[in-house]
Amino acid sequence: MPRPTARAHRPLLALAAAAAVALPLAGCASAAKNAGQAAPAADTVRFNTSPDQHRYTSPEVASIASEVPAAIRAKGTLDIVDSSGSAAPLDFYATDDRTVIGVEPDIAYAVAGVLGLKPVYHPVAWAQIFVGLDSGKYDVGFSNITDTELRKQKYDFATYRKDDIAFEALRTATWRVRGPKDVAGRTIAVDSGTNQEKLLVEWSAEDVKAGLKPVDIKYYQDNSAVYLALQSGQIDAYLQPNPTAAYHVSTSGQTKVVGTLSGAGARLQGLIAATTKKGDGLVKPLGDALNELIRTGVYGEILKRWGLSDEAVTASRINPPGLPLDDR
């Protein structure tokens, strides 16, 4: 499996419990809770996780649709590949265990509308996303894929969201994370083999060099174990992708984000992008469609629906500087 970056990771483990079904933007108490934890607070948010999504749509824009490569226009569909092992609110299965929902399919659905194409979803294992793009089996990947310089050797990118990571702590926490010194001596959980782990290891080394205590880094088998450890005080925080942290905060009511940063580190704002085979001609219409959604406000409504407004970008960019080659 290719080394994942930032939030374009290896398939993320599903959250311990899905939020109860409600209107897409409704905010009210949630019945969902993680094993071993107290009842959630009254201000938790309930998301619509049913197959009846009432997705935001956008009409075809002829000038943009005309840019789509002829072979794709002829078949009339946009074959979208995403990760079947991802987690809410990225791309995950609805309560029927069949319908793909989340912020990624919502954006892809709206993009297909601008292009005048019918969206067809293909949930696969993470590694198969790139195999399928390479072979031409799929047209585009919408699966929280980070723009990296290594990937740009084989793929084109049209960006549509910031790539941020977050420290999630108990709701009662009074500390904040702005840099390495803020986690010195603290016990932090992280998933092995991710950019979050790499950053945490680097920060720990910086702390030791500065005469501070190292970070006590912990690893767990699944999210349920992480949140049990957090609730019991065995760890101070969990460093993970911002979307999954934000979703858990919203649905559990027991935790909060105490710090966010770019998945690319201090040097660069990481970006999530629609991903196509390099040179296949689809990236420009994808970028133009994304910019149309930004212009009309549909893009903003989709992010708001999934609690990710803070990850909005002001414009889609084609192949901007990505995570450097010396990073994962």
Side-chain angles (χ1 to χ4, degrees):
M1 181 181 299
R3 177 70 71 181
T5 60
R7 285 192 318 283
H9 313 284
R10 59 199 167 121
L12 297 170
L13 294 171
L15 294 178
V21 175
L23 293 175
L25 301 178
C28 47
S30 171
K33 66 178 180 179
N34 291 295
Q37 295 184 347
D43 59 350
T44 53
V45 178
R46 299 173 73 182
F47 294 85
N48 177 10
T49 58
S50 78
D52 190 6
Q53 284 293 290
H54 307 290
R55 300 189 199 268
Y56 289 98
T57 61
S58 187
E60 177 180 348
V61 178
S63 60
I64 300 176
S66 67
E67 300 171 352
V68 174
I72 297 176
R73 289 204 314 271
K75 66 187 176 84
T77 61
L78 185 67
D79 286 283
I80 301 155
V81 62
D82 57 17
S83 173
S84 59
S86 193
L90 298 172
D91 44 8
F92 61 112
Y93 288 110
T95 50
D96 64 354
D97 291 325
R98 276 184 333 210
T99 306
V100 178
I101 65 174
V103 66
E104 302 289 80
D106 273 7
I107 291 175
Y109 185 94
V111 164
V114 175
L115 299 179
L117 300 171
K118 177 183 177 181
V120 179
Y121 299 103
H122 302 274
V124 301
W126 172 260
Q128 294 305 308
I129 291 175
F130 302 96
V131 173
L133 290 173
D134 291 345
S135 68
K137 184 176 182 179
Y138 311 122
D139 299 319
V140 58
F142 276 90
S143 192
N144 209 54
I145 301 170
T146 303
D147 168 20
T148 77
E149 291 304 305
L150 179 62
R151 287 181 180 148
K152 273 200 297 203
Q153 295 176 3
K154 294 180 66 176
Y155 308 101
D156 285 324
F157 293 105
T159 61
Y160 60 88
R161 218 178 67 240
K162 292 179 183 177
D163 176 19
D164 289 338
I165 56 179
F167 289 86
E168 184 181 1
L170 286 179
R171 190 175 179 137
T172 54
T174 58
W175 56 289
R176 296 283 302 172
V177 180
R178 298 177 180 85
K181 66 181 179 62
D182 298 315
V183 292
R186 292 199 179 273
T187 303
I188 310 292
V190 72
D191 293 330
S192 177
T194 62
N195 262 22
Q196 298 98 275
E197 179 194 27
K198 180 176 182 289
L199 180 137
L200 205 54
V201 169
E202 290 174 350
W203 277 18
S204 183
E206 288 184 41
D207 286 335
V208 171
K209 188 176 180 180
L212 302 172
K213 292 181 179 180
V215 181
D216 184 9
I217 302 174
K218 299 293 186 184
Y219 303 93
Y220 294 88
Q221 291 297 315
D222 54 45
N223 282 18
S224 295
V226 172
Y227 288 119
L228 281 171
L230 186 61
Q231 186 70 22
S232 64
Q234 296 177 55
I235 60 174
D236 295 308
Y238 178 26
L239 178 58
Q240 62 176 311
N242 181 63
T244 53
Y247 187 86
H248 183 260
V249 167
S250 295
T251 56
S252 76
Q254 300 158 344
T255 58
K256 66 181 180 181
V257 169
V258 295
T260 60
L261 60 149
S262 167
R267 292 171 291 172
L268 181 73
Q269 173 59 61
L271 293 167
I272 300 300
T275 306
T276 68
K277 187 176 181 180
K278 197 166 191 67
D280 70 358
L282 185 57
V283 72
K284 185 180 186 303
L286 285 170
D288 288 344
L290 286 162
N291 281 322
E292 172 69 7
L293 297 176
I294 292 170
R295 184 189 68 80
T296 61
V298 171
Y299 166 80
E301 290 299 320
I302 291 172
L303 292 189
K304 181 180 178 182
R305 181 187 201 202
W306 295 105
L308 297 178
S309 296
D310 60 346
E311 294 200 343
V313 295
T314 57
S316 177
R317 300 166 63 194
I318 304 299
N319 294 326
L323 200 67
L325 285 170
D326 62 347
D327 286 325
R328 293 179 186 177

